Amino acid sequence: MASRVEILNQGGFRSDGRRQYELRDMSIDLSQQGQADGSAVVAHGLTQVLVSVFGPREAKMRSQTLHDRAVINVELNVAAFSASDRRRRTRGDKRILELATTIRSTFEPVVQTNLYPRSQIDIFVQVLQQDGGLLQACINATTLALINAGVPMLDFVCAVTGGVHSTSPLLDLTLLEENDIPNITVAVMPKSGKVTLVTMETRLHVDRFEEIFKIACDAGKVIHDEMKLSVRSRTSTLVNAMGSGPRVSGVDLVDGDGDDRMNEY
């Protein structure tokens, strides 16, 4: 059913006041959450996701272990209060299983699982608020949580949604826009330029696909800058905390070395 709210007015503004290619405000919190090895709370506008990573650690079931690499497990849970319909989704919900499978398949080629044979990496995704771009928020939060946990990866994975209203491409869609226009979600690796995910749940004309795909890839680089800035800030905080404690003999922490390593990504 078409929305009664105008998606894009004649002045080029969307329903929330943004321009066509303008992204929503992105907030990132990499502080410690419980007993997780790494965690991240990421918000794209009103969509907020918490991801906790445990591992790499010894596999609980030998039957599910692989002798040459680690197994990635993804469990997704949607809070009943996260959406306006207050619908409670169980773990067996088809939509939840589909999202979890998509997240796992997105990160399996990126995480260097070959370094941890016969082990497992558990990723728990908790959806706190939903207002469009749920998959992109889950992927971006998972990237930061894995980095926070010290899990080696080939590159950042940065995701963004895009859609087409009439002939006008839009980026970072809200729930209202997702329900009204055809849309795709693209996840890219900015350093290598490779694409790890392209998913489309609605019909999109082939003539419009290439245009929105390129724009989404460019937007992924912008999100990458924000994510790298947050990782750099978190690393600096931890280094300063270590520096305020007892100094280890023969070891000096130099900020410049850390900056050089971050610039590689």
Side-chain angles (χ1 to χ4, degrees):
M1 182 180 295
S3 171
R4 295 181 180 179
V5 179
E6 193 172 20
I7 299 298
L8 188 68
N9 63 26
Q10 295 180 351
F13 291 96
R14 294 152 71 172
S15 57
D16 58 359
R18 289 182 292 147
R19 293 282 188 177
Q20 284 179 247
Y21 305 137
E22 188 175 350
L23 302 177
R24 291 178 290 182
D25 290 337
M26 182 179 183
S27 64
I28 300 172
D29 180 11
L30 299 180
S31 58
Q32 182 70 26
Q33 302 287 337
Q35 300 299 317
D37 295 309
S39 57
V41 180
V42 172
H44 290 274
L46 297 179
T47 299
Q48 188 176 43
V49 174
L50 164 65
V51 176
S52 300
V53 173
F54 295 85
R57 58 185 179 181
E58 184 179 356
K60 296 180 180 179
M61 300 180 62
R62 291 187 177 182
S63 61
Q64 297 180 356
T65 60
L66 299 176
H67 73 281
D68 59 340
R69 61 184 176 89
V71 175
I72 298 178
N73 300 315
V74 178
E75 183 177 309
L76 189 143
N77 183 41
V78 178
F81 54 80
S82 64
S84 58
D85 56 5
R86 296 277 175 171
R87 177 185 176 185
R88 184 174 181 83
R89 293 182 179 270
T90 61
R91 293 181 180 178
D93 185 271
K94 183 179 179 181
R95 175 61 175 166
I96 287 182
L97 294 176
E98 182 182 342
L99 284 171
T101 302
T102 301
I103 295 170
R104 184 176 68 250
S105 62
T106 299
F107 284 92
E108 282 180 338
V110 184
V111 177
Q112 299 185 44
T113 54
N114 60 301
L115 299 178
Y116 304 98
R118 298 185 180 89
S119 61
Q120 68 182 41
I121 301 172
D122 298 320
I123 301 172
F124 296 92
V125 182
Q126 177 72 47
V127 179
L128 303 177
Q129 284 183 262
Q130 296 185 66
D131 186 35
L134 178 58
L135 181 57
Q136 82 170 39
C138 291
I139 291 175
N140 293 336
T142 301
T143 298
L144 292 168
L146 286 168
I147 293 173
N148 204 7
V151 177
M153 300 171 62
L154 298 175
D155 196 357
F156 282 72
V157 180
C158 307
V160 67
T161 56
V164 179
H165 175 66
S166 184
T167 59
S168 303
L170 304 177
L171 283 176
D172 198 2
L173 307 183
T174 62
L175 185 61
L176 176 67
E177 294 167 338
E178 281 186 345
N179 292 335
D180 202 71
I181 64 176
N183 58 85
I184 64 173
T185 300
V186 179
V188 298
M189 299 166 61
K191 182 181 177 182
S192 62
K194 295 181 179 179
V195 177
T196 59
L197 171 72
V198 178
T199 178
M200 180 170 57
E201 299 181 3
T202 53
R203 286 186 174 183
L204 179 63
H205 197 281
V206 65
D207 294 339
R208 301 294 175 194
F209 176 80
E210 184 177 0
E211 180 182 13
I212 190 61
F213 175 75
K214 290 181 177 179
I215 295 172
C217 289
D218 292 337
K221 298 177 182 178
V222 176
I223 293 177
H224 171 244
D225 292 337
E226 291 292 327
M227 295 168 68
K228 188 166 71 170
L229 185 64
S230 297
V231 172
R232 189 192 299 270
S233 175
R234 176 63 176 171
T235 303
S236 177
T237 301
L238 294 176
V239 169
N240 291 335
M242 292 171 62
S244 63
R247 172 166 291 189
V248 179
S249 178
V251 177
D252 293 325
L253 298 174
V254 182
D255 291 340
D257 293 344
D259 291 340
D260 292 340
R261 294 191 187 96
M262 278 302 301
N263 289 332
E264 296 178 0
Y265 297 94

